[in-house]
Amino acid sequence: MGLGLLGTAVITFLPAAQPYLLTDALGLSGDDLGRTTGYLQVAAEAALILSLAWYGALADRIGRRPVAVAGLLLCALGAALYPFAGNVAVLVALRVVFALGIAALNVTMSAITADYVRDRARGKAYGWLGLFSGIGAVIAVLVLVRLPNMLEGGGMAPATAAKVGFLVVAGLVLLGALALRGTLAPGLATSVEPLAGHSAGQRAGERAGLGRLVVEGVRLARDPGVALSYAASFVARADLALVASFLSLWIVDYAKAVRGMSATESLAKSGAIVGIAYMVIVVGAPLFGWLGDRMRRQDVVILAQALAGAAYLSTLLVSDPLGPGMMLVAAAVGLGEIGVITTAGPLLAQQVPARYRGSSFGVQTLCGAIGIFVISGVGGWLYDLWRPAAPFALAGACGLLVALFGLAVRHRVTPVPEAEPSRTA
């Protein structure tokens, strides 16, 4: 749970603090600001997509702990050097370093949770992981992101305040990496059975290569439960991105264009409404974790996807994003979001052998990264062409499609026999 809190805090920190760095520390504005932000986002997502499946396979081959520690170290390195970038090219390179750390953390947080808990309690464990991750995001937004501004208020120049603030966060991440190195069980040199369809060239007990582990993670999607989990992750990561970006954009645009509010007032309104969604996320995580241990895992995934789909489609009914109706919609969106995030992991953990768990979680997280690319890309285009609720409507439609797919395969989902909890972290 500590890894979830620290990992989510650092993952949330850099994107949230990036606007301050670009404007106050590096002096970018106008088109330069928009283009640079776009370059950074594309570079980060490309690094995620290209590395996630390999990180999952690596976690199966050498253990979870070294991959998790490496992820924290890469995040610390990226955060420490970020404000010292002298040009956009260096900034993009450092964003890639940070993204590679994020990829390692995303894979290992889920895999470690599955390894250390028996199946009957995994729903609750993922619920607590969601709770601590939500707390980590709140700490990042309310405390860590404000460090440079607080230092600037104390008399530092903007560029110096940014550098000191980012260095402080990097130092905290380094301390977390040391703590993780000393508390997680060491990776064990475990052997793996021959992969399905590859027994001729591999003896029992021989360690599989990374490429073959990646292939196995993809091939596991032939199992209906694994396919449902992968599809649910495609929607879940995109849902998270929509709340963090398009919900704020919608509120700020409306407040400035229709209500004539200043930029500061618009951001305050946006923060209050988005804050409702995040509060519900923190509260709702244990609820879905509890349900995950009392219902069949595929059923709770279907329930979460249906709830999220309905919540996101309800944004089409909002005419005034600053009105009381938006408060209810934000709460529903937050509940649906945490539902799809916390239910896909336990389903995947029960469907795959422990020796391929890292590989499967790598592919699952890859599906989520692709979901962000597709839904955010198409949704952003529809935002301009149609209406601000369009990205949410698209995500809602995708969620309902996943729920329908789940209904079609729910009776064909058979969990694999459970072994003792793994200690290959």
Side-chain angles (χ1 to χ4, degrees), residues 268-289:
K269 288 288 186 180
S270 172
I273 295 174
V274 174
I276 292 174
Y278 279 112
M279 286 176 60
V280 174
I281 285 173
V282 172
V283 174
L287 169 64
F288 276 98

Side-chain angles (χ1 to χ4, degrees), residues 228 231-232 235 298-299 301-310 396-410:
L228 177 58
V235 176
Q298 62 269 34
D299 292 339
V301 167
I302 294 168
L303 173 64
Q305 291 289 332
L307 175 61
C398 290
L400 293 183
L401 288 176
V402 173
L404 290 175
F405 172 68
L407 289 173
V409 302
R410 61 190 292 264

